[in-house]
Amino acid sequence: MFAVIKSGGHQYRVKAGDTVTLDLLEGNVGDTVKFEDVLMVTDGDKTNCGAPLVKGATVVGKITDQFRSPKILVLKYKRRKNHKKMMGHRQHQTTVEINKINV
């Protein structure tokens, strides 16, 4: 059984026991998270697609880590203008372990 959930503007395919890295979610390590934006649930041969969401379906997980991703470098450069600017960015992320899919 797997489900497609929406979190932070992205869609993720998850099943029970998976560990998923998402954009920052509010909460501390060990807290329970409930995803109610379930777009699709598949159980063997049965597929339940929502329009746009599956009614009554939820995905429950537990926050295992809050961290920042590795730094990416952003370079702005304008030729012949003696202009160069380098910046860095580190995105806040959350690791969630999926416990159960409720239909």
Side-chain angles (χ1 to χ4, degrees), residues 56-76:
T58 58
V59 175
V60 180
K62 185 175 90 169
I63 296 177
T64 58
D65 193 14
Q66 299 271 17
F67 66 98
R68 293 176 72 188
S69 64
K71 182 180 276 192
I72 61 167
L73 296 177
V74 180
L75 177 68
K76 290 186 177 182

Side-chain angles (χ1 to χ4, degrees), residues 7-8 31 39 43-45 49 51 68 74 77 86 91 93 101:
S7 174
D31 288 350
L39 303 174
D43 185 14
D45 296 334
C49 292
R68 293 176 72 188
V74 180
Y77 176 76
M86 182 176 274
Q91 185 74 27
Q93 293 182 328
I101 299 172

Side-chain angles (χ1 to χ4, degrees), residues 31-91:
D31 288 350
T32 301
V33 181
K34 184 185 246 185
F35 299 100
E36 296 179 352
D37 293 342
V38 179
L39 303 174
M40 184 177 82
V41 176
T42 299
D43 185 14
D45 296 334
K46 295 189 330 184
T47 300
N48 190 358
C49 292
L53 302 175
V54 178
K55 291 186 180 182
T58 58
V59 175
V60 180
K62 185 175 90 169
I63 296 177
T64 58
D65 193 14
Q66 299 271 17
F67 66 98
R68 293 176 72 188
S69 64
K71 182 180 276 192
I72 61 167
L73 296 177
V74 180
L75 177 68
K76 290 186 177 182
Y77 176 76
K78 295 185 180 177
R79 62 186 186 148
R80 296 190 300 267
K81 304 294 183 194
N82 196 21
H83 177 78
K84 183 167 57 171
K85 183 177 183 181
M86 182 176 274
M87 298 175 287
H89 175 75
R90 293 184 71 186
Q91 185 74 27

